[in-house]
Amino acid sequence: MTPPRSGAFAAARHALGPVDEWARAETAVHHDRLAKPRGSLGRLETLAAQLAAVAGRVPPPVPRPAAVAVFAADHGVHAQGVTPWPQQVTSAMVTALSTGGAAVNVLARQMGASLIVVDVGVATELVPAPGLVQRKVRTGTADLSMEAAMSLDEAGAALDVGAEVAKQLVGGGARCLVTGEMGIANTTSSAALVAAFTGRRASEVTGRGTGIDDETLARKVRAVERGLARTDLDGEALPVLASVGGLEIAALAGFIVGGAAARVPVVVDGLITDAALLVAAAVEPDVLGYCVAGHLSVEPGARAALDHLGLEPVLDLGLRLGEGTGACLALPVLEAAAKIAGEMATLDEAGVSGGG
Amino acid sequence: MTPPRSGAFAAARHALGPVDEWARAETAVHHDRLAKPRGSLGRLETLAAQLAAVAGRVPPPVPRPAAVAVFAADHGVHAQGVTPWPQQVTSAMVTALSTGGAAVNVLARQMGASLIVVDVGVATELVPAPGLVQRKVRTGTADLSMEAAMSLDEAGAALDVGAEVAKQLVGGGARCLVTGEMGIANTTSSAALVAAFTGRRASEVTGRGTGIDDETLARKVRAVERGLARTDLDGEALPVLASVGGLEIAALAGFIVGGAAARVPVVVDGLITDAALLVAAAVEPDVLGYCVAGHLSVEPGARAALDHLGLEPVLDLGLRLGEGTGACLALPVLEAAAKIAGEMATLDEAGVSGGG
């Protein structure tokens, strides 16, 4: 029942190239001419340099409008009692996301960003709704603590969906992509991926997700450990993804590669999308130059993933909701970085000389 | 030559009351009904509760439009060689601020905020410009390392200007006030105030400002130490302000009290406005409930001031420019907090039950 492969992920990998390091260096030179002390805008300066490197233009274009894609799927490991939320919450929240009532809808509206929800693996059939894209690969993964979560072919189909969605959104005018997700039990799958790609122990990177007690956490750690024990951790990245990943995580990895191939910045959110970036960067290290870590989730696996990738999060607001909320909140900082580089007067224009 | 006192600061102190703790508690109850795990929006939830407490409404109103007021003045301590920038840079930057070319102008435009520049003590006469409010109290302070920076009456006049500006901006429709400043050498004065109000040593809270070498830093620390040695550190707050403060810092303290008296949130920026808040909170502790620390400046005195006040900054982006830039960048987070509380679906509406 796996849908036929579109080849979008392979095409994105083929199109992908490194960011423009000349544009990054030129942006630093440009910043030093602006009416401010050198380096005094800190992260805004390094973000502007990254945006310039992504676009190959100095000063960088304002990364607006942004497009949020929320990939949704269910997880067979839910059967192990890793969360108190019933699996049906995934489809209920997909409905809330399609009708504008979830947290990330509020933030996307505030930021002037579009939002779509892409079903790549929700366990139940969903009622069509505006903003809901139906691209189900299968009705949820298998239980990763017992067997491979999905086949390599299913993972590939989900990677294709993600890459296609990225290409369509950029083709439709998006100048920045925002990663979002919804899937009850997907912090379990993400913790397994983080452990697999960073070499950390399951107990170090498995957290309380949406809020679980000690007993549930212990079950969650054991599920992650069993999944890892079944998996060839020295092998290639995509079999690891198929073994312990999720359909929305595979789609997100494809989405990240697709966005990078289209030369737009991709803002990653919390643990789940950080895990997807680990997969994407293992396959194509060049994607990292296009990615901004929007925020630091309180989930321990998020810090482990970002440290491994060498990314510094823009925000640290104690969020652990997911959906893309932390990534949306970082958008004004990215816009500010581009606008500062593009709109400020120079020291000469301001008639200022001297200083450090 | 001190302008006649308007009494605006005294009137603001009289009007000031504590924030509404009932509204804060009700907001927490409201958050637990929304379609998300409890507490999963971290700082957005506590900020929304504070905004509700400020306004006395649940959910809180969106703090928009914001108004940025940049208070500008010169500092006699400049003569001690505490910065490589010539004193004339203050007036050049006031011109840049009045004509829209400074960093904070770019950010205010992005955030849909108005911006005015208020001259309370620039050393030279300024050419009238749109957006420049001329309320000079004196032409710069005296050298705080040698004598009192200003008289108590001059400090009072600057406090009045700040309180008046706050009242006028809120009367004109502003629903959030943003503190900004411009004044070459004002990190020296601010470091002295931070040391005076937190009890830290000058060497602990004096930083490199816009970027200075070791020798200049040593001169700066000595200037702060001499100013503190002249000052009665066990006395009242306003004489300390007059002794080692700045005219823009006094105006900012008045502005903060004025905003709190008008029951709108006041977003403080970096070291200089943190120092103004130390003064304001020493005089009227109730102001703290209305204030949000927009960001953490890299200046060591900023962390010392915020720790002393018990405030946690919203952003930490490695900024050390001032002007109000870090406070402007925090505005979208405040707006997001209010909008999440006001626009999200409830768990019941989303048909979600169970969970933590």
Coordinates of all heavy atoms in Angstrom, one line a residue, chain A residues 96-177:
Chain A
A96 N -7.8 20.4 15.0 CA -7.6 21.8 15.6 C -6.6 22.6 14.7 O -6.8 23.8 14.5 CB -7.1 21.7 17.0
L97 N -5.6 21.9 14.2 CA -4.6 22.6 13.4 C -5.2 23.0 12.0 O -4.9 24.1 11.5 CB -3.4 21.7 13.1 CG -2.4 21.5 14.3 CD1 -1.7 20.1 14.2 CD2 -1.4 22.6 14.4
S98 N -6.1 22.2 11.5 CA -6.7 22.5 10.2 C -7.7 23.7 10.3 O -8.1 24.3 9.4 CB -7.5 21.3 9.7 OG -6.6 20.2 9.7
T99 N -8.2 23.8 11.6 CA -9.3 24.9 11.7 C -8.7 26.1 12.5 O -9.5 27.0 12.8 CB -10.5 24.3 12.5 OG1 -10.0 23.6 13.7 CG2 -11.2 23.2 11.6
G100 N -7.4 26.1 12.8 CA -6.8 27.4 13.3 C -6.8 27.5 14.8 O -6.5 28.6 15.2
G101 N -7.1 26.5 15.5 CA -7.2 26.6 17.0 C -6.0 26.2 17.8 O -6.0 26.4 19.0
A102 N -5.0 25.6 17.2 CA -3.8 25.2 17.9 C -2.9 26.4 18.1 O -3.0 27.4 17.5 CB -3.1 24.1 17.2
A103 N -1.9 26.1 19.1 CA -1.0 27.2 19.4 C -0.2 27.7 18.2 O -0.1 28.9 18.0 CB 0.0 26.7 20.5
V104 N 0.2 26.8 17.4 CA 1.1 27.2 16.2 C 0.3 28.0 15.2 O 0.8 28.8 14.5 CB 1.8 26.0 15.6 CG1 0.8 25.1 14.8 CG2 2.9 26.4 14.7
N105 N -1.1 27.7 15.1 CA -1.9 28.6 14.2 C -1.9 30.0 14.7 O -1.8 30.9 13.9 CB -3.3 28.1 14.3 CG -3.5 26.7 13.7 OD1 -3.8 25.8 14.5 ND2 -3.4 26.5 12.4
V106 N -2.0 30.2 16.0 CA -2.0 31.6 16.6 C -0.7 32.3 16.2 O -0.7 33.4 15.7 CB -2.2 31.5 18.1 CG1 -2.1 32.9 18.7 CG2 -3.5 30.9 18.4
L107 N 0.4 31.6 16.4 CA 1.7 32.2 16.1 C 2.0 32.4 14.7 O 2.5 33.4 14.3 CB 2.8 31.3 16.8 CG 2.7 31.1 18.3 CD1 3.8 30.2 18.8 CD2 2.7 32.5 19.0
A108 N 1.6 31.4 13.8 CA 1.7 31.6 12.4 C 1.0 32.9 11.9 O 1.5 33.7 11.1 CB 1.3 30.4 11.6
R109 N -0.3 33.0 12.4 CA -1.0 34.2 12.0 C -0.3 35.5 12.4 O -0.2 36.4 11.7 CB -2.4 34.2 12.7 CG -3.4 33.3 12.0 CD -4.9 33.6 12.5 NE -5.1 33.3 13.9 CZ -5.5 32.2 14.4 NH1 -5.7 31.1 13.7 NH2 -5.7 32.1 15.7
Q110 N 0.2 35.5 13.7 CA 0.9 36.7 14.1 C 2.1 37.0 13.2 O 2.4 38.2 13.0 CB 1.4 36.4 15.6 CG 2.2 37.6 16.1 CD 2.8 37.4 17.5 OE1 2.4 36.4 18.2 NE2 3.8 38.2 17.8
M111 N 2.8 36.0 12.8 CA 4.0 36.2 12.0 C 3.7 36.4 10.5 O 4.7 36.5 9.7 CB 5.0 35.0 12.2 CG 5.3 34.7 13.7 SD 5.8 36.1 14.7 CE 5.7 35.4 16.3
G112 N 2.5 36.3 10.1 CA 2.1 36.5 8.7 C 2.6 35.3 7.9 O 2.8 35.4 6.7
A113 N 2.6 34.1 8.5 CA 3.1 32.9 7.9 C 1.9 32.0 7.5 O 0.9 32.0 8.2 CB 4.0 32.1 8.8
S114 N 2.0 31.4 6.3 CA 1.0 30.4 6.0 C 1.2 29.1 6.8 O 2.3 28.9 7.4 CB 1.1 30.0 4.5 OG 2.3 29.4 4.2
L115 N 0.2 28.2 6.9 CA 0.3 27.0 7.6 C -0.5 25.9 6.9 O -1.6 26.1 6.6 CB -0.2 27.2 9.1 CG 0.1 26.0 10.0 CD1 0.3 26.5 11.4 CD2 -1.1 25.0 10.0
I116 N 0.2 24.8 6.7 CA -0.5 23.6 6.2 C -0.2 22.4 7.2 O 0.8 22.4 7.8 CB -0.2 23.2 4.8 CG1 1.3 22.9 4.6 CG2 -0.6 24.2 3.8 CD1 1.7 22.3 3.3
V117 N -1.2 21.5 7.2 CA -1.0 20.3 8.0 C -0.9 19.1 7.0 O -1.8 19.1 6.1 CB -2.1 20.0 8.9 CG1 -1.8 18.9 9.9 CG2 -2.5 21.3 9.7
V118 N 0.1 18.3 7.1 CA 0.3 17.2 6.1 C 0.2 15.9 6.8 O 1.0 15.6 7.7 CB 1.7 17.3 5.4 CG1 1.8 16.2 4.3 CG2 1.9 18.7 4.8
D119 N -0.8 15.1 6.5 CA -1.0 13.8 7.1 C -0.1 12.8 6.4 O -0.4 12.5 5.2 CB -2.5 13.4 7.1 CG -2.7 11.9 7.4 OD1 -1.7 11.3 8.0 OD2 -3.7 11.4 7.2
V120 N 1.0 12.4 7.0 CA 1.8 11.3 6.4 C 1.6 10.0 7.1 O 2.2 9.0 6.6 CB 3.3 11.7 6.4 CG1 3.6 12.7 5.2 CG2 3.8 12.2 7.7
G121 N 0.8 10.0 8.1 CA 0.7 8.7 8.8 C -0.2 8.6 10.0 O 0.0 7.9 11.0
V122 N -1.3 9.4 10.0 CA -2.2 9.4 11.1 C -3.0 8.0 11.0 O -3.3 7.6 10.0 CB -3.1 10.6 11.1 CG1 -4.1 10.5 12.3 CG2 -2.3 11.9 11.2
A123 N -3.2 7.4 12.2 CA -3.8 6.1 12.3 C -5.2 6.0 11.7 O -5.6 4.9 11.2 CB -3.7 5.6 13.7
T124 N -5.9 7.1 11.8 CA -7.3 7.0 11.3 C -7.5 7.9 10.0 O -6.6 8.7 9.7 CB -8.2 7.6 12.4 OG1 -7.7 8.9 12.8 CG2 -8.3 6.7 13.6
E125 N -8.6 7.6 9.3 CA -8.9 8.4 8.2 C -9.3 9.8 8.7 O -10.1 9.9 9.6 CB -10.0 7.8 7.3 CG -9.5 6.6 6.5 CD -8.3 7.0 5.6 OE1 -8.4 8.0 4.9 OE2 -7.3 6.3 5.6
L126 N -8.9 10.8 8.0 CA -9.2 12.2 8.4 C -10.2 12.8 7.5 O -10.2 12.5 6.3 CB -8.0 13.1 8.5 CG -6.9 12.6 9.4 CD1 -5.6 13.4 9.2 CD2 -7.4 12.8 10.9
V127 N -11.1 13.6 8.0 CA -12.1 14.4 7.2 C -11.3 15.5 6.4 O -10.5 16.2 7.0 CB -13.2 15.0 8.1 CG1 -14.2 15.8 7.3 CG2 -13.9 13.9 8.9
P128 N -11.6 15.6 5.1 CA -10.9 16.7 4.4 C -11.2 18.0 5.0 O -12.3 18.3 5.5 CB -11.5 16.6 3.0 CG -12.0 15.2 2.9 CD -12.4 14.8 4.2
A129 N -10.2 18.9 5.0 CA -10.4 20.3 5.6 C -9.4 21.2 4.8 O -8.4 20.8 4.3 CB -10.0 20.2 7.1
P130 N -9.8 22.5 4.8 CA -8.9 23.4 4.2 C -7.6 23.4 5.0 O -7.6 23.4 6.2 CB -9.6 24.8 4.3 CG -10.7 24.6 5.3 CD -11.0 23.1 5.4
G131 N -6.4 23.4 4.3 CA -5.2 23.5 5.0 C -4.7 22.1 5.4 O -3.6 22.0 6.0
L132 N -5.5 21.0 5.1 CA -5.0 19.7 5.4 C -4.7 19.0 4.1 O -5.5 18.9 3.2 CB -6.1 18.9 6.1 CG -5.9 17.4 6.3 CD1 -4.6 17.1 7.2 CD2 -7.1 16.7 6.9
V133 N -3.4 18.6 4.0 CA -2.9 17.9 2.8 C -2.8 16.4 3.2 O -2.2 16.0 4.1 CB -1.5 18.4 2.4 CG1 -1.0 17.7 1.2 CG2 -1.6 19.9 2.2
Q134 N -3.5 15.5 2.4 CA -3.6 14.1 2.7 C -2.6 13.4 1.9 O -2.8 13.2 0.7 CB -5.0 13.6 2.5 CG -6.1 14.4 3.3 CD -7.1 13.6 3.9 OE1 -6.9 12.4 4.3 NE2 -8.3 14.2 4.2
R135 N -1.5 13.0 2.5 CA -0.4 12.2 1.9 C 0.0 11.0 2.7 O 1.2 10.8 2.9 CB 0.8 13.2 1.6 CG 0.5 14.3 0.7 CD 0.1 13.9 -0.7 NE 1.2 13.1 -1.3 CZ 2.3 13.5 -1.9 NH1 2.4 14.8 -2.1 NH2 3.2 12.7 -2.4
K136 N -1.0 10.3 3.2 CA -0.7 9.2 4.2 C 0.1 8.2 3.5 O -0.2 7.7 2.4 CB -2.0 8.6 4.6 CG -2.0 8.0 6.0 CD -3.3 7.3 6.4 CE -4.5 8.2 6.6 NZ -4.5 8.9 7.9
V137 N 1.2 7.8 4.2 CA 2.1 6.7 3.7 C 1.7 5.4 4.2 O 1.6 4.4 3.6 CB 3.6 7.0 4.0 CG1 4.5 5.8 3.7 CG2 4.1 8.3 3.3
R138 N 1.3 5.4 5.5 CA 0.7 4.2 6.1 C 0.0 4.7 7.4 O 0.2 5.8 7.8 CB 1.6 3.1 6.4 CG 2.8 3.4 7.3 CD 3.7 2.2 7.6 NE 3.2 1.4 8.8 CZ 3.9 0.4 9.2 NH1 5.0 -0.1 8.6 NH2 3.4 -0.3 10.3
T139 N -0.9 3.9 8.0 CA -1.7 4.3 9.1 C -0.9 4.2 10.4 O -1.2 3.4 11.3 CB -3.0 3.5 9.2 OG1 -2.7 2.2 9.2 CG2 -3.9 3.9 8.0
G140 N 0.2 5.0 10.6 CA 1.0 4.9 11.8 C 2.1 3.9 11.6 O 2.0 3.0 10.8
T141 N 3.2 4.1 12.4 CA 4.3 3.2 12.3 C 4.0 1.9 13.1 O 3.0 1.9 13.9 CB 5.6 3.8 12.9 OG1 5.2 4.4 14.2 CG2 6.1 4.9 12.0
A142 N 4.8 0.9 12.9 CA 4.8 -0.3 13.8 C 5.5 0.1 15.1 O 6.1 1.2 15.3 CB 5.6 -1.4 13.2
D143 N 5.4 -0.7 16.1 CA 6.0 -0.5 17.5 C 7.5 -0.6 17.4 O 8.0 -1.8 17.4 CB 5.3 -1.4 18.5 CG 5.8 -1.3 19.9 OD1 6.8 -0.5 20.1 OD2 5.3 -1.9 20.8
L144 N 8.2 0.5 17.5 CA 9.6 0.5 17.3 C 10.4 -0.3 18.4 O 11.5 -0.7 18.3 CB 10.2 1.9 17.3 CG 10.1 2.8 18.5 CD1 11.4 2.6 19.4 CD2 10.1 4.2 18.1
S145 N 9.7 -0.6 19.5 CA 10.3 -1.4 20.6 C 10.3 -2.9 20.2 O 11.0 -3.7 20.9 CB 9.6 -1.1 21.9 OG 8.4 -1.8 22.0
M146 N 9.5 -3.3 19.2 CA 9.3 -4.7 18.9 C 9.9 -5.0 17.5 O 10.3 -6.1 17.3 CB 7.8 -5.0 18.9 CG 7.1 -4.6 20.1 SD 7.5 -5.5 21.6 CE 6.5 -7.0 21.2
E147 N 9.8 -4.0 16.6 CA 10.1 -4.3 15.2 C 10.4 -3.0 14.5 O 10.2 -1.9 15.1 CB 9.0 -5.0 14.4 CG 7.7 -4.2 14.4 CD 6.5 -4.9 13.8 OE1 6.7 -5.4 12.7 OE2 5.5 -4.9 14.4
A148 N 10.9 -3.0 13.3 CA 11.2 -1.8 12.5 C 9.9 -0.9 12.4 O 8.8 -1.5 12.1 CB 11.7 -2.1 11.1
A149 N 10.0 0.3 12.7 CA 8.9 1.2 12.7 C 8.3 1.3 11.3 O 7.0 1.3 11.2 CB 9.3 2.6 13.1
M150 N 9.1 1.2 10.3 CA 8.6 1.2 8.9 C 9.6 0.6 8.0 O 10.7 0.3 8.4 CB 8.3 2.6 8.5 CG 9.5 3.6 8.5 SD 9.1 5.3 8.2 CE 9.8 6.0 9.8
S151 N 9.2 0.3 6.8 CA 10.2 -0.2 5.8 C 11.0 0.9 5.2 O 10.6 2.1 5.3 CB 9.4 -1.0 4.7 OG 8.7 0.0 3.9
L152 N 12.1 0.5 4.6 CA 12.9 1.6 4.0 C 12.1 2.3 2.9 O 12.3 3.5 2.6 CB 14.2 0.9 3.4 CG 15.5 1.2 4.0 CD1 16.6 0.5 3.2 CD2 15.8 2.7 4.2
D153 N 11.3 1.5 2.2 CA 10.5 2.1 1.1 C 9.5 3.1 1.6 O 9.2 4.1 1.1 CB 9.8 1.0 0.4 CG 9.4 1.4 -1.1 OD1 10.3 2.0 -1.7 OD2 8.3 1.0 -1.5
E154 N 8.9 2.7 2.8 CA 7.9 3.7 3.4 C 8.6 4.9 3.9 O 8.1 6.1 3.7 CB 7.2 3.0 4.6 CG 6.2 1.9 4.1 CD 5.8 1.0 5.2 OE1 6.5 0.9 6.3 OE2 4.8 0.3 5.0
A155 N 9.8 4.8 4.5 CA 10.6 5.9 4.9 C 10.9 6.8 3.7 O 10.8 8.0 3.7 CB 11.9 5.5 5.6
G156 N 11.2 6.2 2.6 CA 11.5 6.9 1.3 C 10.3 7.6 0.8 O 10.4 8.8 0.4
A157 N 9.2 7.0 0.9 CA 7.9 7.7 0.5 C 7.7 8.9 1.3 O 7.3 10.0 0.8 CB 6.8 6.7 0.5
A158 N 7.9 8.8 2.6 CA 7.7 10.0 3.5 C 8.7 11.1 3.2 O 8.4 12.3 3.2 CB 7.7 9.5 5.0
L159 N 10.0 10.7 3.0 CA 11.0 11.7 2.6 C 10.6 12.4 1.4 O 10.8 13.6 1.3 CB 12.3 10.9 2.4 CG 13.1 10.5 3.7 CD1 14.1 9.3 3.3 CD2 13.8 11.6 4.4
D160 N 10.0 11.7 0.4 CA 9.6 12.3 -0.8 C 8.5 13.3 -0.6 O 8.4 14.4 -1.1 CB 9.0 11.2 -1.8 CG 10.2 10.6 -2.6 OD1 11.3 11.1 -2.5 OD2 9.9 9.5 -3.2
V161 N 7.5 13.0 0.3 CA 6.4 13.9 0.6 C 7.0 15.2 1.2 O 6.6 16.3 0.7 CB 5.4 13.3 1.6 CG1 4.4 14.3 2.1 CG2 4.7 12.1 1.0
G162 N 7.9 15.0 2.1 CA 8.5 16.2 2.7 C 9.2 17.1 1.7 O 9.0 18.3 1.7
A163 N 10.0 16.5 0.9 CA 10.7 17.3 -0.1 C 9.8 17.9 -1.1 O 10.0 19.1 -1.5 CB 11.7 16.3 -0.9
E164 N 8.7 17.2 -1.5 CA 7.7 17.8 -2.4 C 7.1 19.0 -1.8 O 6.8 20.0 -2.5 CB 6.6 16.8 -2.7 CG 7.0 15.8 -3.8 CD 5.8 14.7 -3.8 OE1 4.7 15.1 -4.0 OE2 6.2 13.5 -3.6
V165 N 6.6 18.9 -0.5 CA 6.0 20.0 0.1 C 6.9 21.2 0.2 O 6.4 22.3 -0.1 CB 5.5 19.6 1.5 CG1 5.0 20.8 2.4 CG2 4.4 18.5 1.4
A166 N 8.1 21.0 0.5 CA 9.1 22.1 0.6 C 9.2 22.8 -0.8 O 9.1 24.0 -0.9 CB 10.5 21.6 1.0
K167 N 9.3 22.0 -1.9 CA 9.4 22.6 -3.2 C 8.2 23.4 -3.6 O 8.3 24.5 -4.1 CB 9.7 21.4 -4.2 CG 10.0 21.9 -5.6 CD 10.3 20.8 -6.5 CE 10.6 21.4 -7.9 NZ 11.0 20.3 -8.9
Q168 N 7.0 22.8 -3.3 CA 5.8 23.5 -3.6 C 5.6 24.8 -2.8 O 5.2 25.8 -3.4 CB 4.6 22.6 -3.3 CG 4.4 21.5 -4.3 CD 3.5 20.4 -3.9 OE1 2.9 20.4 -2.8 NE2 3.4 19.3 -4.6
L169 N 6.0 24.8 -1.5 CA 5.8 26.0 -0.7 C 6.8 27.1 -1.3 O 6.4 28.3 -1.4 CB 6.1 25.7 0.7 CG 5.0 24.9 1.4 CD1 5.4 24.5 2.9 CD2 3.7 25.6 1.5
V170 N 8.0 26.7 -1.6 CA 8.9 27.8 -2.1 C 8.5 28.2 -3.5 O 8.5 29.4 -3.8 CB 10.4 27.2 -2.1 CG1 11.3 28.2 -2.7 CG2 10.8 26.9 -0.7
G171 N 8.0 27.3 -4.3 CA 7.5 27.6 -5.6 C 6.3 28.6 -5.5 O 6.0 29.4 -6.3
G172 N 5.5 28.5 -4.4 CA 4.4 29.3 -4.1 C 4.7 30.7 -3.5 O 3.8 31.4 -3.2
G173 N 6.0 30.9 -3.3 CA 6.4 32.2 -2.8 C 7.0 32.3 -1.4 O 7.5 33.3 -1.0
A174 N 7.1 31.1 -0.7 CA 7.6 31.1 0.6 C 9.1 31.5 0.6 O 9.8 30.9 -0.3 CB 7.4 29.8 1.3
R175 N 9.6 32.3 1.5 CA 11.0 32.6 1.5 C 11.7 32.2 2.8 O 12.8 32.5 3.1 CB 11.2 34.2 1.3 CG 10.8 34.6 -0.1 CD 11.8 34.0 -1.1 NE 11.4 34.2 -2.5 CZ 10.7 33.3 -3.2 NH1 10.4 32.1 -2.7 NH2 10.3 33.5 -4.4
C176 N 11.0 31.3 3.5 CA 11.5 30.8 4.8 C 10.6 29.6 5.1 O 9.3 29.7 5.0 CB 11.5 31.8 5.9 SG 12.1 31.2 7.5
L177 N 11.1 28.5 5.5 CA 10.3 27.3 5.8 C 10.4 27.0 7.3 O 11.5 27.2 7.9 CB 10.7 26.1 5.0 CG 10.5 26.1 3.5 CD1 10.9 24.8 2.9 CD2 9.1 26.5 3.1

